[in-house]
């Protein structure tokens, strides 16, 4: 019986093991035959287990200026990592983790923008590996090498690509910036956020590659294992029309004036007058694309995306329309001061006017009344067509995003009159540049552009090329030449508002402007001496323009003794002068004016001496109603032809009308006549206390007020509280 029980137990054990063996054999045969387990391909799973891959990161395309100077590019940087897990050290003589946190913190504090205590806090965390935040990223190669030379155990570096802007603040709103973003598949790639970086992101971003290889279970490459390489495709290089040198001229001038006058806003554009290429473009406030410092102050490119009332710079194109229509006669005269529009008065900036003056003088003085009368002669509908032909109220279609079209406010009689001198209607700086190319380029208007070409780095071939494009011909070549001549006189004339923009050796043609600024809080225009947009739109050389420069400065802090054109000229003049010289545009040789020697004419006939000297080119002014010369403003000197020479005669003492005389000439006249002079202001005489051509007493003091010509727009002669914005 006992033997039977033992046999039964052995039989049961044999049966169980036989069944397990059968199942194992069945499973083995099934796997061998089908190659699958639970629906999964075992070969593929094994391949996946031992296959490794590495991303081959593509380099983002460069942004370069017209001459190939780098504006933005990818650069190799490094991220610092500290290993804290001591289990990763397999050889105590060559530790792979941080062994001395205090020493490590002390050393790293010399290179990172972190204190020793902050670094020690990071190194004493209970983690296997730590990083050091933004302060531990973007480490340049030379700093990495210095840290490695310190031989700190457990400190390692990971290589990274960073978008680098080597010029700092440099056309920042035009260029924009790019930064890393995590995609849906978990990959990190650099993406343009604004400006050219964003607008041309599809060209600039490359396509990552991949290196695949087989390893064993421990991660070592398998001998004879398969490798596969998918090459990375770098992004395209973008060449702009911007010239790095001219852009630097503009940035430096804007920064200096911004520091000196603290304006609310500024902008500057330099364009090639013959092609429409934008050579420089910047604004204030601006930002550093590397650090993004300043970006929160202004996100948009105001040269492209914002509109404003241009003020008297707009008279450039109103004048062109009047010349083209044949209604502008420079020698015809009109009564300056004001113009009536259905009971509302449009005033000149000098409310009382300058009397009856020529239309050319009206242009030089920036008279609103002159242009209102020109509109009357042209007709509303005719002038409206010129606004369209010059491209106002329309996008220029420049190769930049979010361009604003501006608005032509031209529904009611008052709006039509104010538009002709640049108030009410709005424009962009790009529209003004485009329209100015018609004046500079014999009537042919060029579309502005900033994109020169896009180049495939592998082939070196351009996949896109920008080119000059005529966007219209609003005026004839003859009209353009005349307008350039008339506008040049605003700079050279003694009464011209553009005098501060004269540049030695080059003739500048242009127009200054002082535009009112709408107050969004009140619906009216702002008041106060500084609350304007001051600007100048000019080209040079005037006879054959090469460059157009447009500068605008809004609400600068003006000193009491300084006119509004001065801060604008401190940007325009150096930018234009340096750019002309840089482009090897030689200055014109100044014509030599003849010198006229003057002797001592005391006791001689005043009329005879006057006739003789005027025949030699001097301007002779007589003080007194006698016939014999008693005193003169200069003796035994050489004067320049055209200079004033004052003769004081015997008889009763009279004085001339000093209006328009320079400060120097009035001082000389008062000294020659032995009169006490009380002078206020600088520039040119605008008023005097003694009536001209009347007999005065020698002991009467002479008071003369001087001003430097400058316009200040005064739209309507009405109470301030009624000075509402024009309504659509």
């Amino acid at each position: 019986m006992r033997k039977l029980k033992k046999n039964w137990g052995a039989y049961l054990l044999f049966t169980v093991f036989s069944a397990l063996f059968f199942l194992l054999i069945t499973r083995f045969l099934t796997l061998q035959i089908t190659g699958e387990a639970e629906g999964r391909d075992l070969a593929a799973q094994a391949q996946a287990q031992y296959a490794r891959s590495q991303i081959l990161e593509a380099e983002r395309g460069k942004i370069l200026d017209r001459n190939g100077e780098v504006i933005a590019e990818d650069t190799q940087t490094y991220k610092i990592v500290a290993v804290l897990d001591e289990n990763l050290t397999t050889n105590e003589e060559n530790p792979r983790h941080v062994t001395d946190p205090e020493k490590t913190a002390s050393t790293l504090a010399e290179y990172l923008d972190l204190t020793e205590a902050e670094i020690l806090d990071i190194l004493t965390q209970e983690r296997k590996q730590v990083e050091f935040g933004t302060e531990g990223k973007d480490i340049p190669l030379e700093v990495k090498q210095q840290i490695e030379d310190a031989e700190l155990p457990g400190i390692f570096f990971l290589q990274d690509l960073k978008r680098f802007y080597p010029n700092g603040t440099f056309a920042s709103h035009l260029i924009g910036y790019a930064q890393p973003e995590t995609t849906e598949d978990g990959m990190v790639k650099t993406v343009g956020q604004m400006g050219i970086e964003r607008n041309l992101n599809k060209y600039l971003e490359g396509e990552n590659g991949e290196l695949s290889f087989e390893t064993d279970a421990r991660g070592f490459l398998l001998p004879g294992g398969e490798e596969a390489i998918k090459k990375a495709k770098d992004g395209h290089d973008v060449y702009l029309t911007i010239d790095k040198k001219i852009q630097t001229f503009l940035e430096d001038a804007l920064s200096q004036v911004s520091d000196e006058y603290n304006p609310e806003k500024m902008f500057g554009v330099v364009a090639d007058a013959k092609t429409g290429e934008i050579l420089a473009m910047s604004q204030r406030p601006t930002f550093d694309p590397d650090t993004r410092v300043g970006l929160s102050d202004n996100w948009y490119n105001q040269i492209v995306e914002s509109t404003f009332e241009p003020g008297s710079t707009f008279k450039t194109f109103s004048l062109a329309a009047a010349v083209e229509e044949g209604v502008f006669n420079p020698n015809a005269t009109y009564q300056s001061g004001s113009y009536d529009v259905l009971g509302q008065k449009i005033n000149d900036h000098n409310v009382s006017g300058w009397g009856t003056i020529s239309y050319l003088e009206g242009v030089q003085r920036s008279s609103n009344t002159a242009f209102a009368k020109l509109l009357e002669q042209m007709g509303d509908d005719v002038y409206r067509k010129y606004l369209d032909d010059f491209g106002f109220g329309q996008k220029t279609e420049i190769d930049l995003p979010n361009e604003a079209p501006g608005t032509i406010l031209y529904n009611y009689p008052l709006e039509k009159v104010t538009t002709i001198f640049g108030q009410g209607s709005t424009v962009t700086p790009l529209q003004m540049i485009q329209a100015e190319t018609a004046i500079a380029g014999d009537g042919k208007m060029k579309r502005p552009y900033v994109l020169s070409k896009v180049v495939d780095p592998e082939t070196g071939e351009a996949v896109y090329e920008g080119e000059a494009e005529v966007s219209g011909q609003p005026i004839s070549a003859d009209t353009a030449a005349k307008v350039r001549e008339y506008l040049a006189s605003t700079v050279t004339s003694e009464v011209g508002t553009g005098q501060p923009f004269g540049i030695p050796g080059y003739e500048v043609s242009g127009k200054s402007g002082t535009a009112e600024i709408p107050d969004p809080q009140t619906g009216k225009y702002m008041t106060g001496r500084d609350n304007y947009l001051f600007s100048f739109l000019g080209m040079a050389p005037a006879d054959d323009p090469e460059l157009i420069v447009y500068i605008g400065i809004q609400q600068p802090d003006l000193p009491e003794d300084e006119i509004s054109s001065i801060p604008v000229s401190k940007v325009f003049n150096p930018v234009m002068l340096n750019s002309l010289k840089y482009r090897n545009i030689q200055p014109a040789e100044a014509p030599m004016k003849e010198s006229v020697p003057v002797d001592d004419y005391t006791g001689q006939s005043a009329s005879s001496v006057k006739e003789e000297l005027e025949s030699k080119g001097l301007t002779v002014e007589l003080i007194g109603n006698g016939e014999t010369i008693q005193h003169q403003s200069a003796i035994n000197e050489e004067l320049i032809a055209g200079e004033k020479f004052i003769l004081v005669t015997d008889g009763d003492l009279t004085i001339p009308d000093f209006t328009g005389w320079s400060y120097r000439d009035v001082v000389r006249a008062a000294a020659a006549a032995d009169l006490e002079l009380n002078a206020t202001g600088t520039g040119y005489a605008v008023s005097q206390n003694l009536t001209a051509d009347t007999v005065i007493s020698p002991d009467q003091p002479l008071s003369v007020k001087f001003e430097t010509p400058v316009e200040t727009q005064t739209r309507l002669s009405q109470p301030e509280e009624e000075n509402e914005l024009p309504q659509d």
Side-chain angles (χ1 to χ4, degrees), residues 554-578:
Q554 181 177 317
Q555 296 168 283
D557 293 337
L558 286 173
E560 290 298 325
D561 61 346
E562 195 166 285
I563 61 172
S564 57
S565 293
I566 298 303
V568 182
S569 70
K570 288 183 178 180
V571 180
F572 178 89
N573 294 16
V575 170
M576 178 64 88
L577 177 60
N578 291 332

PDB file of all heavy atoms in Angstrom, residues 554-578:
ATOM      1  N   GLN A 554       8.836 112.812 -32.091  1.00  0.00           N
ATOM      2  CA  GLN A 554       7.578 113.184 -31.442  1.00  0.00           C
ATOM      3  C   GLN A 554       7.800 113.600 -29.990  1.00  0.00           C
ATOM      4  O   GLN A 554       8.417 112.872 -29.224  1.00  0.00           O
ATOM      5  CB  GLN A 554       6.598 112.011 -31.493  1.00  0.00           C
ATOM      6  CG  GLN A 554       5.244 112.312 -30.847  1.00  0.00           C
ATOM      7  CD  GLN A 554       4.278 111.161 -30.989  1.00  0.00           C
ATOM      8  OE1 GLN A 554       4.181 110.559 -32.056  1.00  0.00           O
ATOM      9  NE2 GLN A 554       3.546 110.852 -29.931  1.00  0.00           N
ATOM     10  N   GLN A 555       7.332 114.773 -29.659  1.00  0.00           N
ATOM     11  CA  GLN A 555       7.309 115.295 -28.293  1.00  0.00           C
ATOM     12  C   GLN A 555       8.673 115.257 -27.596  1.00  0.00           C
ATOM     13  O   GLN A 555       8.819 114.672 -26.526  1.00  0.00           O
ATOM     14  CB  GLN A 555       6.275 114.538 -27.463  1.00  0.00           C
ATOM     15  CG  GLN A 555       4.838 114.730 -27.956  1.00  0.00           C
ATOM     16  CD  GLN A 555       3.870 113.759 -27.320  1.00  0.00           C
ATOM     17  OE1 GLN A 555       3.818 112.593 -27.685  1.00  0.00           O
ATOM     18  NE2 GLN A 555       3.110 114.248 -26.354  1.00  0.00           N
ATOM     19  N   PRO A 556       9.673 115.897 -28.188  1.00  0.00           N
ATOM     20  CA  PRO A 556      10.961 115.998 -27.499  1.00  0.00           C
ATOM     21  C   PRO A 556      10.898 117.045 -26.392  1.00  0.00           C
ATOM     22  O   PRO A 556      10.047 117.948 -26.417  1.00  0.00           O
ATOM     23  CB  PRO A 556      11.904 116.441 -28.614  1.00  0.00           C
ATOM     24  CG  PRO A 556      11.029 117.243 -29.527  1.00  0.00           C
ATOM     25  CD  PRO A 556       9.672 116.579 -29.491  1.00  0.00           C
ATOM     26  N   ASP A 557      11.780 116.937 -25.426  1.00  0.00           N
ATOM     27  CA  ASP A 557      11.903 117.960 -24.381  1.00  0.00           C
ATOM     28  C   ASP A 557      12.780 119.086 -24.925  1.00  0.00           C
ATOM     29  O   ASP A 557      14.010 119.023 -24.855  1.00  0.00           O
ATOM     30  CB  ASP A 557      12.524 117.365 -23.111  1.00  0.00           C
ATOM     31  CG  ASP A 557      11.608 116.349 -22.446  1.00  0.00           C
ATOM     32  OD1 ASP A 557      10.395 116.414 -22.686  1.00  0.00           O
ATOM     33  OD2 ASP A 557      12.122 115.487 -21.708  1.00  0.00           O
ATOM     34  N   LEU A 558      12.148 120.127 -25.477  1.00  0.00           N
ATOM     35  CA  LEU A 558      12.886 121.212 -26.106  1.00  0.00           C
ATOM     36  C   LEU A 558      13.312 122.251 -25.078  1.00  0.00           C
ATOM     37  O   LEU A 558      12.492 122.716 -24.293  1.00  0.00           O
ATOM     38  CB  LEU A 558      12.022 121.900 -27.172  1.00  0.00           C
ATOM     39  CG  LEU A 558      11.798 121.154 -28.486  1.00  0.00           C
ATOM     40  CD1 LEU A 558      10.780 121.903 -29.335  1.00  0.00           C
ATOM     41  CD2 LEU A 558      13.109 121.007 -29.238  1.00  0.00           C
ATOM     42  N   PRO A 559      14.573 122.656 -25.097  1.00  0.00           N
ATOM     43  CA  PRO A 559      14.989 123.794 -24.269  1.00  0.00           C
ATOM     44  C   PRO A 559      14.261 125.059 -24.709  1.00  0.00           C
ATOM     45  O   PRO A 559      13.841 125.187 -25.869  1.00  0.00           O
ATOM     46  CB  PRO A 559      16.495 123.890 -24.542  1.00  0.00           C
ATOM     47  CG  PRO A 559      16.884 122.564 -25.093  1.00  0.00           C
ATOM     48  CD  PRO A 559      15.692 122.044 -25.828  1.00  0.00           C
ATOM     49  N   GLU A 560      14.109 126.017 -23.816  1.00  0.00           N
ATOM     50  CA  GLU A 560      13.370 127.234 -24.114  1.00  0.00           C
ATOM     51  C   GLU A 560      13.989 128.020 -25.257  1.00  0.00           C
ATOM     52  O   GLU A 560      13.288 128.703 -26.001  1.00  0.00           O
ATOM     53  CB  GLU A 560      13.289 128.115 -22.858  1.00  0.00           C
ATOM     54  CG  GLU A 560      12.385 127.565 -21.769  1.00  0.00           C
ATOM     55  CD  GLU A 560      10.931 127.452 -22.224  1.00  0.00           C
ATOM     56  OE1 GLU A 560      10.489 128.321 -23.008  1.00  0.00           O
ATOM     57  OE2 GLU A 560      10.250 126.507 -21.808  1.00  0.00           O
ATOM     58  N   ASP A 561      15.299 127.946 -25.404  1.00  0.00           N
ATOM     59  CA  ASP A 561      15.983 128.757 -26.411  1.00  0.00           C
ATOM     60  C   ASP A 561      16.263 127.985 -27.693  1.00  0.00           C
ATOM     61  O   ASP A 561      17.086 128.403 -28.510  1.00  0.00           O
ATOM     62  CB  ASP A 561      17.293 129.305 -25.845  1.00  0.00           C
ATOM     63  CG  ASP A 561      18.256 128.195 -25.432  1.00  0.00           C
ATOM     64  OD1 ASP A 561      17.807 127.032 -25.337  1.00  0.00           O
ATOM     65  OD2 ASP A 561      19.438 128.497 -25.205  1.00  0.00           O
ATOM     66  N   GLU A 562      15.576 126.855 -27.910  1.00  0.00           N
ATOM     67  CA  GLU A 562      15.868 126.021 -29.068  1.00  0.00           C
ATOM     68  C   GLU A 562      14.608 125.759 -29.876  1.00  0.00           C
ATOM     69  O   GLU A 562      13.543 125.473 -29.322  1.00  0.00           O
ATOM     70  CB  GLU A 562      16.473 124.694 -28.615  1.00  0.00           C
ATOM     71  CG  GLU A 562      17.144 123.920 -29.736  1.00  0.00           C
ATOM     72  CD  GLU A 562      18.011 122.798 -29.194  1.00  0.00           C
ATOM     73  OE1 GLU A 562      19.110 123.092 -28.685  1.00  0.00           O
ATOM     74  OE2 GLU A 562      17.577 121.639 -29.252  1.00  0.00           O
ATOM     75  N   ILE A 563      14.711 125.889 -31.198  1.00  0.00           N
ATOM     76  CA  ILE A 563      13.571 125.640 -32.063  1.00  0.00           C
ATOM     77  C   ILE A 563      13.439 124.148 -32.354  1.00  0.00           C
ATOM     78  O   ILE A 563      14.385 123.375 -32.188  1.00  0.00           O
ATOM     79  CB  ILE A 563      13.693 126.431 -33.378  1.00  0.00           C
ATOM     80  CG1 ILE A 563      14.951 126.003 -34.143  1.00  0.00           C
ATOM     81  CG2 ILE A 563      13.696 127.929 -33.113  1.00  0.00           C
ATOM     82  CD1 ILE A 563      15.052 126.600 -35.530  1.00  0.00           C
ATOM     83  N   SER A 564      12.261 123.770 -32.827  1.00  0.00           N
ATOM     84  CA  SER A 564      11.939 122.343 -32.960  1.00  0.00           C
ATOM     85  C   SER A 564      12.734 121.637 -34.043  1.00  0.00           C
ATOM     86  O   SER A 564      12.886 120.414 -34.010  1.00  0.00           O
ATOM     87  CB  SER A 564      10.445 122.197 -33.257  1.00  0.00           C
ATOM     88  OG  SER A 564      10.092 122.929 -34.434  1.00  0.00           O
ATOM     89  N   SER A 565      13.250 122.371 -35.032  1.00  0.00           N
ATOM     90  CA  SER A 565      14.003 121.733 -36.108  1.00  0.00           C
ATOM     91  C   SER A 565      15.370 121.236 -35.656  1.00  0.00           C
ATOM     92  O   SER A 565      15.963 120.370 -36.317  1.00  0.00           O
ATOM     93  CB  SER A 565      14.192 122.711 -37.276  1.00  0.00           C
ATOM     94  OG  SER A 565      12.967 123.008 -37.892  1.00  0.00           O
ATOM     95  N   ILE A 566      15.876 121.759 -34.555  1.00  0.00           N
ATOM     96  CA  ILE A 566      17.245 121.424 -34.147  1.00  0.00           C
ATOM     97  C   ILE A 566      17.414 119.940 -33.826  1.00  0.00           C
ATOM     98  O   ILE A 566      18.333 119.293 -34.357  1.00  0.00           O
ATOM     99  CB  ILE A 566      17.690 122.305 -32.967  1.00  0.00           C
ATOM    100  CG1 ILE A 566      17.700 123.776 -33.388  1.00  0.00           C
ATOM    101  CG2 ILE A 566      19.063 121.891 -32.471  1.00  0.00           C
ATOM    102  CD1 ILE A 566      18.571 124.081 -34.589  1.00  0.00           C
ATOM    103  N   PRO A 567      16.570 119.324 -32.974  1.00  0.00           N
ATOM    104  CA  PRO A 567      16.773 117.887 -32.725  1.00  0.00           C
ATOM    105  C   PRO A 567      16.626 117.039 -33.982  1.00  0.00           C
ATOM    106  O   PRO A 567      17.337 116.037 -34.145  1.00  0.00           O
ATOM    107  CB  PRO A 567      15.710 117.542 -31.679  1.00  0.00           C
ATOM    108  CG  PRO A 567      14.748 118.664 -31.692  1.00  0.00           C
ATOM    109  CD  PRO A 567      15.493 119.869 -32.126  1.00  0.00           C
ATOM    110  N   VAL A 568      15.715 117.446 -34.887  1.00  0.00           N
ATOM    111  CA  VAL A 568      15.556 116.693 -36.137  1.00  0.00           C
ATOM    112  C   VAL A 568      16.823 116.808 -36.979  1.00  0.00           C
ATOM    113  O   VAL A 568      17.303 115.826 -37.553  1.00  0.00           O
ATOM    114  CB  VAL A 568      14.332 117.196 -36.925  1.00  0.00           C
ATOM    115  CG1 VAL A 568      14.142 116.362 -38.198  1.00  0.00           C
ATOM    116  CG2 VAL A 568      13.073 117.131 -36.070  1.00  0.00           C
ATOM    117  N   SER A 569      17.385 118.017 -37.035  1.00  0.00           N
ATOM    118  CA  SER A 569      18.599 118.221 -37.828  1.00  0.00           C
ATOM    119  C   SER A 569      19.782 117.458 -37.246  1.00  0.00           C
ATOM    120  O   SER A 569      20.701 117.072 -37.977  1.00  0.00           O
ATOM    121  CB  SER A 569      18.932 119.711 -37.919  1.00  0.00           C
ATOM    122  OG  SER A 569      19.364 120.229 -36.676  1.00  0.00           O
ATOM    123  N   LYS A 570      19.774 117.227 -35.931  1.00  0.00           N
ATOM    124  CA  LYS A 570      20.879 116.500 -35.308  1.00  0.00           C
ATOM    125  C   LYS A 570      20.868 115.015 -35.678  1.00  0.00           C
ATOM    126  O   LYS A 570      21.851 114.311 -35.437  1.00  0.00           O
ATOM    127  CB  LYS A 570      20.824 116.667 -33.785  1.00  0.00           C
ATOM    128  CG  LYS A 570      21.225 118.061 -33.315  1.00  0.00           C
ATOM    129  CD  LYS A 570      21.221 118.170 -31.803  1.00  0.00           C
ATOM    130  CE  LYS A 570      21.677 119.554 -31.347  1.00  0.00           C
ATOM    131  NZ  LYS A 570      21.689 119.689 -29.864  1.00  0.00           N
ATOM    132  N   VAL A 571      19.765 114.556 -36.246  1.00  0.00           N
ATOM    133  CA  VAL A 571      19.731 113.198 -36.802  1.00  0.00           C
ATOM    134  C   VAL A 571      19.934 113.259 -38.312  1.00  0.00           C
ATOM    135  O   VAL A 571      20.793 112.584 -38.871  1.00  0.00           O
ATOM    136  CB  VAL A 571      18.407 112.480 -36.476  1.00  0.00           C
ATOM    137  CG1 VAL A 571      18.412 111.071 -37.076  1.00  0.00           C
ATOM    138  CG2 VAL A 571      18.181 112.411 -34.983  1.00  0.00           C
ATOM    139  N   PHE A 572      19.143 114.109 -38.975  1.00  0.00           N
ATOM    140  CA  PHE A 572      19.176 114.157 -40.444  1.00  0.00           C
ATOM    141  C   PHE A 572      20.555 114.512 -40.972  1.00  0.00           C
ATOM    142  O   PHE A 572      21.094 113.824 -41.853  1.00  0.00           O
ATOM    143  CB  PHE A 572      18.148 115.169 -40.956  1.00  0.00           C
ATOM    144  CG  PHE A 572      18.146 115.329 -42.456  1.00  0.00           C
ATOM    145  CD1 PHE A 572      17.345 114.531 -43.250  1.00  0.00           C
ATOM    146  CD2 PHE A 572      18.967 116.264 -43.077  1.00  0.00           C
ATOM    147  CE1 PHE A 572      17.355 114.660 -44.635  1.00  0.00           C
ATOM    148  CE2 PHE A 572      18.994 116.403 -44.454  1.00  0.00           C
ATOM    149  CZ  PHE A 572      18.180 115.596 -45.236  1.00  0.00           C
ATOM    150  N   ASN A 573      21.142 115.585 -40.461  1.00  0.00           N
ATOM    151  CA  ASN A 573      22.377 116.105 -41.048  1.00  0.00           C
ATOM    152  C   ASN A 573      23.536 115.110 -40.993  1.00  0.00           C
ATOM    153  O   ASN A 573      24.174 114.839 -42.019  1.00  0.00           O
ATOM    154  CB  ASN A 573      22.767 117.422 -40.381  1.00  0.00           C
ATOM    155  CG  ASN A 573      21.763 118.532 -40.677  1.00  0.00           C
ATOM    156  OD1 ASN A 573      20.651 118.271 -41.123  1.00  0.00           O
ATOM    157  ND2 ASN A 573      22.140 119.758 -40.424  1.00  0.00           N
ATOM    158  N   PRO A 574      23.868 114.525 -39.817  1.00  0.00           N
ATOM    159  CA  PRO A 574      24.989 113.579 -39.819  1.00  0.00           C
ATOM    160  C   PRO A 574      24.702 112.309 -40.596  1.00  0.00           C
ATOM    161  O   PRO A 574      25.602 111.742 -41.217  1.00  0.00           O
ATOM    162  CB  PRO A 574      25.218 113.290 -38.327  1.00  0.00           C
ATOM    163  CG  PRO A 574      23.942 113.648 -37.649  1.00  0.00           C
ATOM    164  CD  PRO A 574      23.359 114.766 -38.450  1.00  0.00           C
ATOM    165  N   VAL A 575      23.448 111.844 -40.575  1.00  0.00           N
ATOM    166  CA  VAL A 575      23.115 110.625 -41.316  1.00  0.00           C
ATOM    167  C   VAL A 575      23.255 110.865 -42.817  1.00  0.00           C
ATOM    168  O   VAL A 575      23.866 110.063 -43.540  1.00  0.00           O
ATOM    169  CB  VAL A 575      21.690 110.143 -40.970  1.00  0.00           C
ATOM    170  CG1 VAL A 575      21.254 109.028 -41.920  1.00  0.00           C
ATOM    171  CG2 VAL A 575      21.632 109.649 -39.535  1.00  0.00           C
ATOM    172  N   MET A 576      22.709 111.974 -43.300  1.00  0.00           N
ATOM    173  CA  MET A 576      22.806 112.279 -44.729  1.00  0.00           C
ATOM    174  C   MET A 576      24.261 112.523 -45.135  1.00  0.00           C
ATOM    175  O   MET A 576      24.745 111.949 -46.127  1.00  0.00           O
ATOM    176  CB  MET A 576      21.950 113.494 -45.068  1.00  0.00           C
ATOM    177  CG  MET A 576      22.032 113.922 -46.539  1.00  0.00           C
ATOM    178  SD  MET A 576      21.388 112.688 -47.707  1.00  0.00           S
ATOM    179  CE  MET A 576      19.644 113.144 -47.743  1.00  0.00           C
ATOM    180  N   LEU A 577      24.975 113.342 -44.373  1.00  0.00           N
ATOM    181  CA  LEU A 577      26.358 113.668 -44.725  1.00  0.00           C
ATOM    182  C   LEU A 577      27.250 112.426 -44.718  1.00  0.00           C
ATOM    183  O   LEU A 577      27.983 112.166 -45.679  1.00  0.00           O
ATOM    184  CB  LEU A 577      26.904 114.714 -43.755  1.00  0.00           C
ATOM    185  CG  LEU A 577      28.376 115.125 -43.953  1.00  0.00           C
ATOM    186  CD1 LEU A 577      28.582 115.717 -45.336  1.00  0.00           C
ATOM    187  CD2 LEU A 577      28.813 116.107 -42.875  1.00  0.00           C
ATOM    188  N   ASN A 578      27.194 111.640 -43.643  1.00  0.00           N
ATOM    189  CA  ASN A 578      28.048 110.450 -43.546  1.00  0.00           C
ATOM    190  C   ASN A 578      27.694 109.414 -44.608  1.00  0.00           C
ATOM    191  O   ASN A 578      28.584 108.728 -45.140  1.00  0.00           O
ATOM    192  CB  ASN A 578      27.941 109.838 -42.152  1.00  0.00           C
ATOM    193  CG  ASN A 578      28.569 110.709 -41.084  1.00  0.00           C
ATOM    194  OD1 ASN A 578      29.499 111.463 -41.350  1.00  0.00           O
ATOM    195  ND2 ASN A 578      28.058 110.624 -39.864  1.00  0.00           N
TER     196      ASN A 578
END
